[in-house]
Amino acid sequence: REVEGKPGEYEANSEGCPETIKLLNRREHELSCSFQPLRCPNCDDCPPLLKKDLEDHLKTCRHVRCPHAKYNCPFFGTRSEVDAHVQTCRFEVLKDVLAESDERILKLHRLVKQKDEEISFLRGNVALLSDRLSSLEKTFEFRLDRSDEDIVYCKRKTQELENITRQCARELAQLKGSSADGHNYTCAGTFIGHEGPIWSLCTYRNLLLSGSSDSTIKVWSPFKESVDIGAHNVCLHTLSGHTGIVLALTTANDKLYSGSADNTIRVWRLDNYSPISTLHAHDNPVCTLTAGKDYLFSGSLNTVKVWSTSRLELVRELPNQSHWVRALFATDTRLFAGSYECVKMWSLESFDLIRTVHFSGGSVYSLVVTPVHLICGTFESSVYVWDMNDLDRSQKNLVGHSGAVHALRVVSVGSKTRLFSGGNDKTVRVWNLDTMQCVQTMLRHEGSITSLATINGQLFTGGSDQEIKVWR
């Protein structure tokens, strides 16, 4: 402190801390110094205190609040006065009711947090739509300034409309029962139980598993008794644990793997449905999962990660991703990943990138691979098909959907191979991969088709209408 009457001269404060320390240790010492100046935790009106005097002050402080002050009890006094007051405090009698109310409020906060996560996820999709709309507006303005190109563009669109008209005529004939394919699927039932849109389906033996926006996974037995519209009795178990939308499901080695918007992958036993582990997998929602050759693969924003299914630990991260990876597919020797206007292929032996198939048509939302075909569904309504032996020149576009194609599944029906595609237009389309023609259009959902699965010739479709349809 400054010496009285001698400006510019200073002396040690005899009433302060007597310790002498190095300047570099000052901050550490101040945190534990008993001469540290403090304020009374009960009331700012109490005089300033030193840390060493705080305990003595608290014994006599007359500003101690009733423990029920958070419920607006106005009483305050010394500790002993507060202890005596509590015996007659009107809030003491109600403390159990008030505690129960606090618990309900906490649950509501958690529910609001869950809804905020769903809103955040949907806002991300809206942002993608906005970007695409902006791109389309710029393209349209550019084409207006180039009349010659506009004429060519209009001719091409006219041809596409003619093709769509012919396709609609064929589908109308199918609806009238004149399908030449020989087998039409009909809706045989509906599974109801989820409290939010269904985002993922997968199968295990004769069981169907579904993931939803309600953060749960349900296990269904499609062959339990008869499946009637609105059947509840086929749900065997409900698995809880995620705190966000369950976006992806896959099974391997008697285990279930679930990916969520809470950025985690959870691992479950399939014999008793108990949780095994939680992997804090990504910094963003886990959009897709697949398994192959003792590995689990997960896709998210700008990344594909490889996990050991035996050790449940990260093995490696595949580089050179520059967009959302929403679709993965694994064979015995290859991993395929769909992203923005490309499909990448890696070796499962060396994890080297073998090749990249490029196209123009937006982000890949679904992907399936057969020994003969590579097939992907995109945000811009297209289903692209390549011959695996001629990936450079064999691209075909199956036209029919309007809106993103969220799910694909290939099934062999006798000697024929059929492709099922589910989209944002609420339809499931059946394609003959020999002729590349749509042979049936199925419409029973009230919302987007988000996922597909098959068991023993039965097709299961999950939708944003919270329902699973069964088709035979």
Side-chain angles (χ1 to χ4, degrees):
R1 66 184 178 183
E2 189 175 36
V3 178
E4 185 176 355
K6 297 180 179 180
E9 294 187 19
Y10 298 86
E11 63 180 1
N13 185 356
S14 59
E15 297 177 357
C17 177
E19 294 283 342
T20 301
I21 58 172
K22 292 182 178 180
L23 184 60
L24 62 86
N25 296 328
R26 173 184 172 185
R27 178 62 60 187
E28 179 181 357
H29 170 75
E30 287 179 347
L31 295 175
S32 59
C33 180
S34 60
F35 286 84
Q36 178 184 1
L38 300 173
R39 302 296 303 183
C40 175
N42 295 326
C43 182
D44 290 339
D45 293 337
C46 291
L49 304 166
L50 296 179
K51 186 175 182 179
K52 66 185 181 66
D53 300 325
L54 178 61
E55 186 59 34
D56 291 338
H57 169 78
L58 292 177
K59 293 178 181 179
T60 59
C61 179
R62 298 193 58 80
H63 297 95
V64 179
R65 302 298 301 270
C66 173
H68 300 301
K70 64 180 180 179
Y71 302 121
N72 295 326
C73 178
F75 184 84
F76 61 88
T78 63
R79 286 181 178 176
S80 57
E81 290 172 344
V82 169
D83 291 340
H85 161 75
V86 167
Q87 304 300 319
T88 59
C89 181
R90 60 178 176 174
F91 295 101
E92 179 69 14
V93 180
L94 300 173
K95 66 179 181 180
D96 292 338
V97 176
L98 295 172
E100 182 178 353
S101 297
D102 288 344
E103 180 65 24
R104 290 180 179 176
I105 292 172
L106 180 60
K107 289 181 179 178
L108 288 174
H109 282 306
R110 291 172 180 168
L111 181 60
V112 169
K113 181 181 178 182
Q114 175 187 329
K115 297 303 179 184
D116 285 343
E117 290 179 353
E118 294 183 15
I119 291 171
S120 177
F121 182 77
L122 293 174
R123 281 176 176 168
N125 287 340
V126 170
L128 291 175
L129 289 171
S130 297
D131 291 342
R132 183 56 189 163
L133 180 59
S134 177
S135 175
L136 289 173
E137 289 175 347
K138 292 178 181 178
T139 302
F140 184 69
E141 291 173 357
F142 176 75
R143 286 175 175 169
L144 285 177
D145 295 333
R146 302 177 65 177
S147 59
D148 291 341
E149 292 184 7
D150 285 346
I151 294 173
V152 174
Y153 175 79
C154 290
K155 287 181 178 179
R156 185 170 67 252
K157 287 299 180 182
T158 300
Q159 183 63 43
E160 290 179 1
L161 287 173
E162 290 176 354
N163 293 337
I164 292 172
T165 301
R166 287 193 292 270
Q167 179 70 20
C168 289
R170 284 193 294 269
E171 291 179 1
L172 181 60
Q174 295 162 12
L175 292 175
K176 292 179 178 180
S178 59
S179 170
D181 189 58
H183 178 80
N184 279 344
Y185 282 82
T186 58
C187 185
T190 303
F191 297 166
I192 299 173
H194 281 294
E195 296 180 359
I198 294 163
W199 287 94
S200 51
L201 293 176
C202 76
T203 61
Y204 173 73
R205 297 178 181 173
N206 284 335
L207 298 176
L208 176 71
L209 301 102
S210 59
S212 168
S213 287
D214 61 14
S215 304
T216 69
I217 303 164
K218 290 188 179 290
V219 184
W220 310 85
S221 176
F223 302 100
K224 180 181 178 183
E225 302 173 359
S226 62
V227 178
D228 299 320
I229 298 297
H232 295 266
N233 61 321
V234 292
C235 182
L236 302 179
H237 297 278
T238 298
L239 311 183
S240 300
H242 282 294
T243 59
I245 302 169
V246 181
L247 295 169
L249 296 172
T250 192
T251 60
N253 301 326
D254 297 322
K255 296 185 182 71
L256 169 66
Y257 302 89
S258 56
S260 170
D262 62 13
N263 306 344
T264 69
I265 299 172
R266 287 184 175 260
V267 188
W268 314 79
R269 291 171 61 99
L270 281 171
D271 53 357
N272 58 13
Y273 307 107
S274 61
I276 298 175
S277 180
T278 299
L279 307 177
H280 298 281
H282 293 273
D283 296 328
N284 292 281
V286 181
C287 297
T288 178
L289 293 173
T290 192
K293 198 177 180 181
D294 299 324
Y295 296 112
L296 173 71
F297 306 94
S298 61
S300 184
L301 177 61
N302 300 333
T303 180
V304 174
K305 291 187 177 181
V306 184
W307 308 83
S308 167
T309 55
S310 57
R311 301 189 305 272
L312 297 180
E313 61 183 32
L314 182 65
V315 175
R316 65 176 64 224
E317 185 171 355
L318 302 182
N320 302 322
Q321 312 302 319
S322 59
H323 206 271
W324 282 99
V325 179
R326 293 187 174 90
L328 294 172
F329 193 95
T331 66
D332 292 338
T333 60
R334 299 284 186 267
L335 172 67
F336 299 81
S339 187
Y340 181 72
E341 297 191 338
C342 71
V343 177
K344 295 185 177 182
M345 184 191 315
W346 286 271
S347 165
L348 291 189
E349 294 292 339
S350 61
F351 291 105
D352 291 333
L353 180 63
I354 298 174
R355 71 169 299 161
T356 301
V357 179
H358 294 280
F359 62 92
S360 58
S363 295
V364 176
Y365 272 56
S366 52
L367 183 66
V368 67
V369 180
T370 74
V372 180
H373 296 112
L374 166 64
I375 310 168
C376 73
T378 73
F379 176 76
E380 296 186 0
S381 312
S382 295
V383 177
Y384 292 110
V385 183
W386 291 267
D387 187 323
M388 288 293 289
N389 296 319
D390 189 14
L391 292 173
D392 293 321
R393 294 180 297 176
S394 63
Q395 177 180 327
K396 293 181 175 60
N397 184 10
L398 307 185
V399 177
H401 284 289
S402 59
V405 181
H406 291 288
L408 296 172
R409 182 72 60 176
V410 172
V411 176
S412 295
V413 181
S415 61
K416 303 175 182 178
T417 303
R418 296 292 176 262
L419 170 67
F420 296 90
S421 60
N424 209 53
D425 56 5
K426 307 178 185 179
T427 70
V428 177
R429 292 179 178 264
V430 187
W431 307 84
N432 184 329
L433 288 180
D434 297 325
T435 62
M436 299 296 170
Q437 298 297 317
C438 179
V439 296
Q440 185 181 357
T441 301
M442 302 183 291
L443 177 60
R444 287 296 294 271
H445 281 278
E446 297 297 327
S448 303
I449 310 298
T450 59
S451 48
L452 301 174
T454 57
I455 304 177
N456 297 338
Q458 290 191 125
L459 174 69
F460 301 90
T461 58
S464 61
D465 56 5
Q466 308 181 18
E467 296 181 351
I468 300 172
K469 300 289 185 183
V470 186
W471 305 83
R472 293 171 181 159

